[in-house]
Amino acid sequence: MRLKNLPVLCTLILSLLATRQSAQTALQTAIKTFLKDDNLANASVSISILDVSSGKMLASHQPDLSLAPASSLKVVTTATAMSLLGPDYTFKTELQYDGSIDRNGQLHGNLYLKGYGDPTLGSDQMQEAPGLDAVMEKFRLALQQKGIRKINGHVVGDASWFGTDVNCDTWQWNDLGNYYAAGIWGLNIHENLYYLRFRQTSRLGAIPAIGSIETYIEGLAFYNEVTSAGRGTGDNAYIYGAPYDFTRYVRGTIPVGSQLFSIKGSMPDPPLFAAQYLRASLEEVGIPSSDEATTQLELERRGKANDSRTTFYSYHSPDLEKIVRRANMKSVNLYCESLLKTISKARNGDGSLESGTKILLEYWEDRGVNTRGVFLDDGSGLSARNAVTTRFMVQLLRKKTKDKDFEACYNSIPVDGEDGPLRNTLKGTAAEGRLSAKSGTIKRVRSYTGYARTRTGNLRAFSIIVNNYSGSGGAIRKRMETLMLAFVKD
């Protein structure tokens, strides 16, 4: 019987091999066509497409070239956080006090708002997280239930959990004052951002006046050098400023018009803002403080820090699965940097980006992923000094499919033609609904990393990274989309 069925079996094997060979040839041909673009003549390009089931590289181009990945790096950071922290992990934020509470409800000491890295606290962006005023209401209620009616001391924002080094050292100066480069404190609030609203003018070249700041940050001052450009030119205004510095310069352009036009900036000192906002919120319900709001860092500078405290309330963030989904869908740098610092804190008590990247790479190397040529400075991809290989990216994605939390990670990546930044990408094509990818963009960098499912159900991991292309980013993106269309074909 075995000999009788042997010809049939051989025919089947040869047919499968021929099909696979045909798919590999088609993919390699698509890559060659992509590389013929004149805008890539001086560019560095790396491409890898891996069969998830077998682990075989189906097609590639310079898979071991080290290139800046931009925000594609977020799939690495979030996948690692899900593995090391767990999808049910939540961040806590505590209310504490030192001193004592007398029978009349007077706290003779300081009230502390101590953070543990929650990037969603008071967010107006994340649906599952209570907004700023809703969180403050929880804190007010906690004080009232504790019987505190007056604070004879400071309201203190304590961000000591991660230390004072709040930005990646290799982030660019022109990024730091903008929301996407908001620092990562132990105590974050309102995603560490504010809205700067301009009153548009109808005259080209005119300086639009600053109309308002939301939410108001005490002491924040602006030098406005923004001018008005043509209609439809979009937001080309940048805010310049460093952490802890309350002077900001705004340069660039916004469109002419007759409305308020908003841009987003990074808070100079979120822990101080959190303390000030909490102090004001408590005063509104009749719980005054005798002293100004301040930070743990400032108390330490004055030699007045007190680590002997009582914790009486703990607030918890949405779970990590929800945080990871928003981090990837909306490409939130703050979330990924906080996750990287939290990994470091959980593993060795350090809480630094440097330690977090080291732990991340060691974890995947231990799982058999090739980390040669991978150099990381942050977890979001904002640093141009990050470098990965597409071989590393696809091997990591394949390993992730073996994990219990894979489905949650997979669902956090934008789907072609459906959601996130890819909702209008390749819509109406064979890739719609069958290709999930995290895109990445910084100056002269474009990337896509994710999964593609073929018509017959085969799952592929892929990564495309282009550095230093010529022409427009939009033109390169269109070419990359055309290439990705080949990934879903058998």
Side-chain angles (χ1 to χ4, degrees), residues 159-171:
S160 59
W161 187 243
F162 286 156
T164 61
D165 191 5
V166 299
N167 285 116
C168 173
D169 291 342
T170 55
W171 285 357

Side-chain angles (χ1 to χ4, degrees), residues 50-56 397-398 401-402 451 459-461:
L50 189 76
D51 180 71
V52 167
S53 178
S54 67
K56 182 176 181 179
L397 291 183
R398 179 174 182 258
T401 64
K402 312 298 182 184
Y451 299 96
L459 188 63
R460 295 167 174 172

Side-chain angles (χ1 to χ4, degrees), residues 35 77 266 282:
L35 294 171
T77 303
S266 61
L282 293 174

